[in-house]
Amino acid sequence: MTTDDLSGMGPLVARLGRAGQRLRHADRARPWVLDTAVVVLVFLLFCLPDLLHAVGVTGGDGDGDGPRRFRLAFTRLPVLGMLALQAGLVVPLLWRRRAPAVAFGAVTAVFVLQWALGAALRADVALFVALYSLALHGPLRQLPWACAVMAGALGLVAARVSAVVSVWDALFFLLSTATAALALGLMIRIRRAQLAGLRDRAARLEIERDQRGRLAVAAERTRVAREMHDIVGHNLSVIITLADAGAYATAAAPERGKEALHLIGDTGRQALSELRRVLGVLREADGPRSAPELSPQPGLTDIDALCEGVRSAGLEVVYRTAGDVDALDSGVQLTVYRIVQEALTNTLKHAGAGARANLAVVVEDTRLTITVQDTGPAVPAGRPGTANEEGHGLVGMRERAALYGGHVTAGPAGPGWTVRATLDLAPQGGAG
């Protein structure tokens, strides 16, 4: 077969496939149509010739030794008896798919009765159709006893035709036909099971893909919410503190009030710039992004500016580092920055202006430790985590530390408060 022949078969195969699909849809909608069509086809091909021969339409004497030998070996049935046996063989095929075991049992019973009477009918092909249907549609546990019953019935046939054909030849032909019907039914059943498995696998993969997409969206939303909490919480705390200080200083020292307003403006613009960068990931890329959206995420070099902003709000901060902090990757630096930002925000919120905070970032081998310790407020007040309730800030810090196999502890230390975070810098503990 040439390449042109193969290419010419493509449209034909496609049309046959579409026709088969339409046939399957129609069969699912009206299954009785196909069952009735099978019964009518078996009647026309195998029952009608015997009936015509019985009423003498085909001339029925039959020339030659072969037909005479068969005519002498088998019982000649009246037309009504033949029609009754044919109906018993063919009609049960109407429920060969809904109740294959019942159909097979009914056909087998009529088949055995027919051969017990010594009659031979072409409608006996219904027994092989019933076996095929049982292998295709019935429970597999019923096949062993069905095969045993089939073998016994075919043995009876071989014994009845022994006067005409050798018993072994008859058994070979009959058992081969039964095996072919059984194998065809099992083959189609296995093929359908494989296709059903492939469809189920495709459906599960599609569901898993959608679930992964939803999980990714949820994780991204959580990340954005965490970033916004850190940005808004810190900057609003600074703005509120500056506004309160400016309100008190306006009457006594207007210059200090004006300075506080300038600091509030600078802090607000910085917060707005960071919010634009974070929220930019939620928008589709419609074109070139602006410079604030392309600015890098904050790192250790930005902690100095963070401390300056907190100092301008009245909180004294002493910041020191130890170890090779410059070698940290951007992900670790962002985590450190956000933890420090949250810890200083809590200190500013609860300890207030006039307090002192000691900030230390220490790198030792594969461990990074962040410590923020304050001297506490002039008047003792409750801190987060002291009353069986943790703010979102502590939860966010623990989530960030967990990305690098670390943990966060927070609690009172003398008159003040201490927050300590530990990150694991080993390669297996990193996060993108």
Side-chain angles (χ1 to χ4, degrees):
M1 182 174 294
T2 63
T3 306
D4 295 337
D5 296 333
L6 291 176
S7 61
M9 291 177 62
L12 177 60
V13 173
R15 285 195 294 270
L16 290 176
R18 288 192 294 269
Q21 188 174 7
R22 287 194 295 268
L23 181 61
R24 286 192 294 271
H25 289 324
D27 181 48
R28 282 194 290 267
R30 297 179 179 86
W32 58 269
V33 174
L34 181 58
D35 295 335
T36 304
V38 170
V39 171
V40 171
L41 183 64
V42 171
F43 176 81
L44 294 177
L45 293 180
F46 301 99
C47 297
L48 189 59
D50 284 340
L51 290 175
L52 295 177
H53 181 78
V55 298
V57 174
T58 59
D61 289 340
D63 300 329
D65 295 335
R68 182 180 298 275
R69 291 172 58 194
F70 278 96
R71 193 165 56 249
L72 295 176
F74 302 122
T75 302
R76 185 180 182 88
L77 295 173
V79 176
L80 291 179
M82 180 182 298
L83 188 60
L85 289 175
Q86 288 177 342
L89 290 170
V90 175
V91 171
L93 297 181
L94 286 172
W95 61 86
R96 64 185 183 87
R97 292 190 294 179
R98 289 168 291 177
V102 175
F104 177 80
V107 173
T108 303
V110 177
F111 180 85
V112 172
L113 174 62
Q114 168 209 322
W115 283 98
L117 297 175
L121 297 175
R122 291 184 175 90
D124 290 340
V125 72
L127 182 64
F128 300 105
V129 176
L131 179 63
Y132 159 81
S133 301
L134 181 62
L136 178 58
H137 303 290
L140 293 178
R141 64 177 182 275
Q142 295 178 347
L143 283 181
W145 68 260
C147 292
V149 171
M150 186 79 169
L154 296 182
L156 173 63
V157 175
R160 297 293 296 185
V161 301
S162 60
V164 180
V165 183
S166 170
V167 173
W168 300 110
D169 292 342
L171 280 177
F172 175 78
F173 173 77
L174 295 172
L175 292 177
S176 297
T177 306
T179 302
L182 181 65
L184 181 61
L186 290 175
M187 181 187 68
I188 297 178
R189 183 184 189 129
I190 293 172
R191 178 61 177 169
R192 289 182 179 178
Q194 290 175 341
L195 292 177
L198 291 176
R199 285 192 293 267
D200 180 67
R201 176 176 173 81
R204 285 189 286 106
L205 289 176
E206 185 175 357
I207 293 174
E208 291 176 2
R209 182 197 62 192
D210 294 340
Q211 289 177 343
R212 286 196 298 268
R214 287 193 292 269
L215 289 175
V217 171
E220 183 65 15
R221 288 177 177 174
T222 302
R223 186 189 70 82
V224 171
R226 188 167 56 234
E227 292 288 332
M228 290 183 64
H229 171 270
D230 293 341
I231 294 170
V232 175
H234 168 74
N235 289 286
L236 284 182
S237 296
V238 174
I239 289 173
I240 290 171
T241 304
L242 288 172
D244 292 339
Y248 286 114
T250 299
E255 296 80 7
R256 296 298 300 274
K258 183 178 180 180
E259 180 182 355
L261 291 176
H262 285 302
L263 290 174
I264 289 174
D266 294 339
T267 304
R269 281 188 290 272
Q270 179 185 358
L272 182 60
S273 176
E274 293 188 21
L275 283 176
R276 284 175 176 172
R277 183 185 62 245
V278 172
L279 296 178
V281 301
L282 300 179
R283 301 201 305 265
E284 295 181 356
D286 296 328
R289 293 184 175 180
S290 59
E293 293 174 348
L294 296 175
S295 59
Q297 291 278 46
L300 291 181
T301 56
D302 299 292
I303 293 182
D304 290 324
L306 176 66
C307 293
E308 286 298 328
V310 174
R311 291 189 188 103
S312 64
L315 177 65
E316 183 181 356
V317 180
V318 178
Y319 171 46
R320 70 179 182 88
T321 62
D324 190 8
V325 295
D326 295 331
L328 299 176
D329 61 56
S330 58
V332 176
Q333 292 194 32
L334 175 61
T335 299
V336 173
Y337 180 88
R338 293 304 186 197
I339 292 176
V340 170
Q341 183 184 51
E342 182 61 36
L344 291 179
T345 300
N346 288 338
T347 299
L348 181 62
K349 185 187 303 182
H350 297 284
R356 174 190 174 97
N358 294 315
L359 167 62
V361 179
V362 180
V363 177
E364 296 177 343
D365 296 330
T366 59
R367 174 170 295 186
L368 185 148
T369 304
I370 307 166
T371 305
V372 181
Q373 184 175 11
D374 63 71
T375 57
V379 178
R383 299 297 293 262
T386 59
N388 296 328
E389 181 179 0
E390 291 189 349
H392 294 289
L394 287 176
V395 174
M397 285 191 287
R398 289 195 174 103
E399 289 178 352
R400 290 184 181 277
L403 294 176
Y404 292 89
H407 59 277
V408 176
T409 58
W417 194 268
T418 299
V419 175
R420 180 173 287 104
T422 303
L423 307 183
D424 185 5
L425 303 180
Q428 64 271 17

